[in-house]
Amino acid sequence: MSSWSGTIMLGTGWALIDARIGNSRPHSHLAHQISLAVERDLDIGGDEPMTLPVGQAVAIASHVHHRLGPKGALVRSFYLDPLFRADARLAARSAPVLLAPAAAAGLGEIANAVDAKRWASDYLDQSPTNPLDPRLSAALAIPDDLSTARALADVACLSPSRLREIVGRDFGVPPAKLLQWLQLQRAMRALAAGGGLADAAAAGGFADQSHFTRRCGQWLGVTPSAGLGAFAFEIIS
């Protein structure tokens, strides 16, 4: 199996993915990833390799390079970034951390969007968190396409230097990288709505389909066709 397949429930600042693992390469992203080994042990490769026993879940912090295996294994992964809840920005870690058995079991029991958001809120309430800067949070909640750091700074009523400082603290990247992550999310929503790769690239503000493909590989470790094309999407408002 070279392509990924499964289902994706996609909300604002979160996603729940049930997947058969395909090809991927080590990658990192702005979301914290919590992955559950559903039917067999998983191999977590990357910066901190480990074996995840079946029935257990591991939290992989944002910016940690990782790759899941083996091919064909079933994994349930929950992705959380600060856009989910502005009062709960997860602290960065350097190594994957096993979840408590109750939290892992709860992840496995999610059946719908209400369950998913409740589980994520409970997880955040039990984790070390810090609030997102309210000016940045308000600016990112605006539905307009903020395609440049200058536009984001203007909407947030911040100087470019202050914006760089706040985005670096709250997301761990410069503003340009945060905007790339938001572009990718817009493109994925276009795919979820039934658009093709060219439509998704345009919706995300990428220069062309090749640009979208490169960014997808950088952030997700897969190409859009091999990593997203065989998924069934559900968009949650």
Side-chain angles (χ1 to χ4, degrees):
M1 176 183 290
S2 59
S3 296
W4 291 66
S5 62
T7 61
I8 298 178
M9 191 182 298
L10 187 62
T12 300
W14 66 275
L16 177 66
I17 301 181
D18 288 309
R20 291 284 176 188
I21 295 173
N23 283 337
S24 69
R25 65 175 189 256
H27 61 282
S28 65
H29 37 65
L30 297 194
H32 291 257
Q33 176 179 333
I34 304 99
S35 290
L36 172 69
V38 176
E39 61 185 15
R40 59 188 288 193
D41 295 354
L42 295 182
D43 300 323
I44 312 293
D47 290 344
E48 298 284 344
M50 65 178 292
T51 297
L52 181 66
V54 63
Q56 294 193 30
V58 64
I60 303 170
S62 61
H63 309 298
V64 173
H65 280 79
H66 61 279
R67 178 175 60 188
L68 301 184
K71 293 180 188 177
L74 182 62
V75 60
R76 164 167 279 195
S77 292
F78 206 109
Y79 296 81
L80 272 171
D81 71 32
L83 299 181
F84 174 70
R85 212 174 78 187
D87 67 331
R89 172 174 54 89
L90 284 163
R93 298 188 181 95
S94 60
V97 177
L98 289 175
L99 267 65
L107 177 57
E109 293 167 359
I110 293 172
N112 52 49
V114 173
D115 290 348
K117 289 189 278 190
R118 182 184 300 117
W119 182 88
S121 287
D122 289 345
Y123 176 76
L124 290 172
D125 288 342
Q126 297 168 25
S127 303
T129 60
N130 294 299
L132 193 67
D133 183 276
R135 294 161 296 180
L136 180 59
S137 177
L140 293 175
I142 295 173
D144 297 341
D145 177 10
L146 299 172
S147 57
T148 67
R150 177 77 257 185
L152 179 57
D154 289 345
V155 171
C157 299
L158 295 166
S159 69
S161 60
R162 184 62 176 147
L163 177 71
R164 285 194 298 273
E165 179 183 340
I166 290 172
V167 173
R169 182 196 66 203
D170 289 358
F171 285 88
V173 293
K177 291 288 187 181
L178 171 59
L179 292 172
Q180 287 177 17
W181 180 247
L182 298 178
Q183 278 186 299
L184 188 61
Q185 292 192 23
R186 291 197 300 272
M188 288 184 65
R189 285 184 171 271
L191 279 178
L197 293 182
D199 298 324
F206 294 101
D208 51 33
Q209 187 173 322
S210 296
H211 186 202
F212 172 40
T213 297
R214 290 195 301 274
R215 290 294 184 222
C216 196
Q218 173 188 353
W219 289 106
L220 303 179
V222 294
T223 63
S225 57
L228 301 173
F231 278 94
F233 285 86
E234 179 183 0
I235 301 178
I236 309 299
S237 58

